[in-house]
Amino acid sequence: MSRISMEQVKHVAHLARLAITEEEAQQFQHQLDQMISFAEQLNELDTDQVNPTSHVLDMKNVMREDVAKPGLPVEEVVKNAPDSKDGYIRVPSIIE
Amino acid sequence: MSLFEQKVSELHERLHKKEISVTDLVNESYERIGQVEDKVKAFLTLDEENARNQAKQLDDQLVKGENEGSLFGMPIGVKDNIVTKNLRTTCGSKILENFDPIYDATVVQKLQQAETVTIGKLNMDEFAMGSSNENSAYQATRNPWNLDYVPGGSSGGSAASVASGEVLFSLGSDTGGSIRQPAAYCGVVGLKPTYGRVSRFGLVAFASSLDQIGPVTRTVEDNAYLLGAISGLDPMDSTSANVDVPNFVNSLTGDVRGMKIAVPKEYLGEGVGEEARNSVLEALKVLEGLGAEWEEVSLPHSKYALAAYYLLSSSEASANLSRFDGVRYGHRTDNAETLIEMYKQTRAEGFGDEVKRRIMLGTFSLSSGYYDAYYKKAQKVRTLIKKDFEDVFEKYDVIVGPTTPTPAFKIGEKVDDPLTMYANDILTIPVNLAGVPGISVPCGFAANGLPLGLQMIGKHFDESTIYRAAHAFEQATDFHKQFPKL
C-alpha cells in the first residue's frame, strides 16, 4: 500500500505544471513512495537542536551600487521565444 | 602521438618555438573527432567554422608576439549546460533543442580572455540529472575504454572527449559528483571547486546551492591551469566568493612530506567494491612512501548524505526548472488552448522521465504540510554532514578515498532502477553538501580494464593542497600515461 494517494500525485503534478497520463501517475505513485521511504531514514537522526544549512558559505545579502546599465536588445531577447510580435512575446489569452 | 598527450606548458613551449601552430591544435581536435566520434558520441554541437577562424586569428597574434592568454590556443570542449552566445545550448534536453543563447556564461568570457578555442558542446544527462549520460535526450555517450560501458555522468561528454583525445581539456559541472565520477570512469582528472570559487552565471541551474563548474583534464597540472583561468568573484553571481585566487600551479611542488591524510572508514566500508578499496590502499602506500601520514577517521553521517541530497537537489531543481514553460524560449506545445494547459503540455512533451521524477519529488517535498518533514529535515542533516568534515579538517589536511564504489557499469544495466543508480554517488555527494573541493585522479584499473579514481577532498578554498597531493601521487604513478585504444 502506497503512502501517497493517486490524488496526491495528481495534485503535485498540478503544482509542478506537468501534464501526466494515468499510467504515469501510477508509476510516479510507486517511485515517489520508494524515494520517500528511502528519505525517511533521516528520521533516525535527532535534529531538534540543529540549525538548517541552506547555503555553505558564511554570506549575508550581497549588495552593489545601484547603477543603470543598458539591457539586452529587445530583438535578441525575443529571438528564442516560440511566438512573438512587435517585440512582445505572445501566449494563449489569459483573460476571457 | 597525439598532441593532446602533452600538457599546456609543453604545448605553449612548442607554439613559442613555432614547431606547431594553433591551427595544428584545432586540426588535431577535428581530425580525432572525425575518427572516433561515431563511437564515443561525446559532442552535441560542433563549432568548427568559428574554431578554425579563431585559430587563424590566434596564429596571426602568435607571429606578432601577442599570445598573452594563459591558455593561448588550447582546444576546449564545454558542457552543454553552460551558455555560449550564438552556439546552441541544449542541456541534453528536448525542451531546449533549438535554444540559441544571447550571452556567454562568465566562465566562457574568462576562457575568451585566456584565449582558448571552443571546439563544441558536450553531451550530458538531461539538466545534469544522472550518472551515466543515458538520460540525455539525444545520445548515450560511450566510455572510451570500453564502448559497452557508460562514461559516467552527468558530465560524461566532458570526460569521454578528454579521455579519447578529442580535445585537450573541457569544462563540466558537479552537483553531486557529476565531474568527479565521469573523470574516474574515464581515467582523467576532474575537480569540483569549493562552492563559490567559480561563477555560476550562465550555468543553467540544477541545484543552486550545490552546483559548481570545474575542469576536466588529462593531468593535474593542466587542471590547475584551467581552474586558475575560470576562478574568481563575479558581480553577476552573488554566491561567488570574494576570496583571493592563488596561482594553483605554484602548489605543485611534488612535496607531501608531513601531509596529514584522513581516510574515512565509511569510504572503504559497506557498499564499496574490493577493487576500489584496494586501489585506494595501494595509493595510500604511494603517498606514505612520499612522506605523507595517514590515519583512519570517521564521517559518521555519511550514510544519510544520499537521502538528504535527493531531497535538497530535487527541491531546488523543481523551482529552477519552472522557468521552462514554453513562453520565453525552448519548446512550446501545439496542443493547448489555455495558458495553464500550455505550461503543462509543454513540460510534459519537453522533459524526460528522470527530470519529471525529480520535479515531482522536489515539488512534493516543498509542498504545504511536507516542507518541515522532508525539505527542512534534509537541510538540518546537511548541517551535520558539513560538521563531520569540519571536525576532520581540524586535524588533517586532506581526506582520501575512492571516487566511486565500483568502476563504470554497462550501458542499460541500471537505467530502470533510480535508487541503484543514485547509490553510485554515495562517495561524491557529501562533498557537495559540505561545499568543500574534491578532485578525482586516476589510481589504477579494474580487472575488466576500466579505470578507477582516487578522490582527494580539501578544506574550503584550499584547492592548492589537494592539487599538491594529487600531483605528487600522479608523478609517482603512470596511470595518466595510459590511453584508451579506439
Side-chain angles (χ1 to χ4, degrees):
Chain A
M1 187 58 198
S2 177
R3 281 162 308 165
I4 299 181
S5 67
M6 282 293 273
E7 212 168 274
Q8 270 177 302
V9 172
K10 288 175 185 173
H11 175 62
V12 170
H14 171 70
L15 292 176
R17 300 291 184 265
L18 201 58
I20 56 172
T21 62
E22 207 55 35
E23 196 186 333
E24 281 174 318
Q26 277 171 15
Q27 205 182 348
F28 282 133
Q29 185 186 25
H30 173 67
Q31 287 171 341
L32 278 178
D33 185 60
Q34 261 188 330
M35 285 196 243
I36 287 156
S37 325
F38 178 66
E40 276 174 358
Q41 62 173 299
L42 299 183
N43 295 335
E44 292 168 18
L45 295 169
D46 177 4
T47 52
D48 284 352
Q49 305 302 316
V50 179
N51 288 321
T53 295
S54 58
H55 195 282
V56 288
L57 300 178
D58 194 17
M59 270 185 188
K60 295 272 151 47
N61 290 336
V62 179
M63 311 296 268
R64 60 173 160 75
E65 291 302 310
D66 184 13
V67 182
K69 285 183 197 165
L72 292 160
V74 171
E75 58 275 20
E76 281 285 290
V77 172
V78 298
K79 82 172 181 186
N80 279 292
D83 191 5
S84 67
K85 194 185 175 193
D86 303 334
Y88 292 91
I89 292 169
R90 234 179 351 199
V91 293
S93 67
I94 299 168
I95 303 163
E96 291 289 308
Chain B
M1 188 178 86
S2 164
L3 287 170
F4 302 153
E5 291 178 28
Q6 295 162 64
K7 298 183 290 186
V8 172
S9 53
E10 293 162 332
L11 292 171
H12 272 175
E13 201 183 319
R14 295 187 66 191
L15 280 170
H16 203 69
K17 290 183 184 162
K18 313 281 191 285
E19 290 173 14
I20 56 168
S21 65
V22 178
T23 299
D24 292 337
L25 289 165
V26 170
N27 283 342
E28 173 89 29
S29 254
Y30 289 110
E31 269 172 36
R32 185 69 176 159
I33 288 168
Q35 289 162 5
V36 303
E37 179 60 12
D38 62 334
K39 297 180 201 162
V40 178
K41 297 180 165 63
F43 282 92
L44 289 173
T45 308
L46 294 173
D47 198 21
E48 187 162 353
E49 198 185 327
N50 284 327
R52 290 191 186 279
N53 288 337
Q54 198 196 346
K56 272 186 215 135
Q57 192 195 322
L58 291 175
D59 279 329
D60 287 344
Q61 282 177 237
L62 187 61
V63 171
K64 293 181 202 151
E66 291 168 355
N67 47 323
E68 284 162 6
S70 65
L71 298 171
F72 180 84
M74 299 295 117
I76 192 165
V78 177
K79 187 176 180 180
D80 211 24
N81 58 352
I82 297 171
V83 298
T84 41
K85 190 175 181 179
N86 299 328
L87 179 59
R88 188 176 83 125
T89 299
T90 70
C91 293
S93 181
K94 285 282 176 212
I95 212 163
L96 287 176
E97 189 161 11
N98 300 308
F99 179 56
D100 184 14
I102 57 177
Y103 63 88
D104 280 315
T106 296
V107 291
V108 173
Q109 292 174 30
K110 283 179 176 277
L111 290 179
Q112 283 157 5
Q113 285 157 18
E115 298 181 311
T116 61
V117 181
T118 298
I119 298 300
K121 302 297 292 289
L122 293 160
N123 194 29
M124 54 185 284
D125 288 294
E126 186 177 4
F127 288 108
M129 297 175 187
S131 311
S132 69
N133 268 38
E134 291 163 295
N135 294 341
S136 165
Y138 299 97
Q139 61 201 29
T141 299
R142 308 286 168 134
N143 191 311
W145 293 89
N146 185 331
L147 299 172
D148 293 333
Y149 285 76
V150 304
S154 65
S155 311
S158 305
S161 60
V162 174
S164 58
E166 294 181 319
V167 285
L168 178 68
F169 47 34
S170 66
L171 291 183
S173 70
D174 190 317
T175 304
S178 280
I179 289 173
R180 290 159 289 154
Q181 185 253 24
Y185 280 6
C186 292
V188 294
V189 181
L191 176 104
K192 183 203 85 79
T194 308
Y195 184 83
R197 173 65 90 187
V198 177
S199 166
R200 295 184 296 109
F201 180 68
L203 171 68
V204 178
F206 162 14
S208 309
S209 79
L210 302 163
D211 298 341
Q212 269 290 288
I213 296 170
V216 179
T217 58
R218 273 191 189 288
T219 62
V220 175
E221 186 181 298
D222 284 1
N223 208 281
Y225 273 113
L226 185 49
L227 181 66
I230 61 171
S231 293
L233 178 68
D234 178 11
M236 300 301 280
D237 174 5
S238 62
T239 63
S240 71
N242 191 6
V243 292
D244 286 339
V245 179
N247 184 332
F248 297 112
V249 180
N250 286 348
S251 65
L252 310 179
T253 59
D255 185 3
V256 293
R257 280 173 298 175
M259 184 179 277
K260 290 192 169 59
I261 296 172
V263 180
K265 63 181 183 197
E266 293 82 5
Y267 283 31
L268 295 177
E270 199 189 335
V272 176
E274 203 178 318
E275 287 180 309
R277 185 184 309 123
N278 289 340
S279 73
V280 170
L281 294 174
E282 287 300 315
L284 288 168
K285 278 185 203 157
V286 171
L287 289 162
E288 225 170 13
L290 295 168
E293 302 156 18
W294 71 271
E295 282 178 328
E296 192 175 276
V297 299
S298 177
L299 295 169
H301 298 95
S302 296
K303 73 174 209 177
Y304 301 104
L306 193 59
Y309 171 81
Y310 276 95
L311 289 172
L312 295 173
S313 64
S314 300
S315 298
E316 292 184 23
S318 72
N320 278 324
L321 269 57
S322 65
R323 61 170 57 85
F324 300 104
D325 56 6
V327 175
R328 290 151 298 164
Y329 34 65
H331 173 73
R332 181 190 289 189
T333 185
D334 294 325
N335 307 310
E337 298 292 320
T338 69
L339 187 68
I340 300 284
E341 263 178 46
M342 193 274 275
Y343 293 151
K344 287 185 174 180
Q345 203 53 41
T346 291
R347 290 160 65 77
E349 291 169 10
F351 290 138
D353 289 344
E354 182 65 25
V355 172
K356 288 179 185 172
R357 187 151 53 229
R358 299 207 201 185
I359 289 174
M360 290 290 289
L361 177 65
T363 306
F364 172 79
S365 49
L366 291 175
S367 65
S368 169
Y370 299 96
Y371 178 90
D372 283 347
Y374 296 104
Y375 183 71
K376 200 168 177 192
K377 180 79 185 183
Q379 282 191 317
K380 288 179 167 192
V381 173
R382 182 177 188 177
T383 305
L384 297 174
I385 289 163
K386 184 169 172 243
K387 182 148 190 316
D388 281 355
F389 281 93
E390 285 162 2
D391 290 347
V392 168
F393 281 131
E394 273 181 22
K395 284 198 205 149
Y396 299 89
D397 303 308
V398 184
I399 296 173
V400 168
T403 307
T404 57
T406 62
F409 48 92
K410 272 195 170 157
I411 291 174
E413 195 178 308
K414 298 191 182 184
V415 79
D416 293 329
D417 185 353
L419 284 176
T420 319
M421 184 75 95
Y422 299 168
N424 190 51
D425 302 329
I426 47 170
L427 303 169
T428 48
I429 277 172
V431 175
N432 299 76
L433 290 172
V436 291
I439 195 168
S440 180
V441 282
C443 72
F445 292 88
N448 62 8
L450 289 165
L452 295 162
L454 181 72
Q455 184 174 212
M456 294 176 160
I457 303 161
K459 298 172 190 174
H460 280 124
F461 297 109
D462 191 17
E463 287 86 354
S464 294
T465 299
I466 52 176
Y467 273 143
R468 181 155 60 92
H471 174 75
F473 174 75
E474 177 193 70
Q475 295 305 304
T477 54
D478 63 1
F479 305 118
H480 65 292
K481 292 180 181 157
Q482 301 183 39
F483 305 99
K485 292 175 187 66
L486 275 160

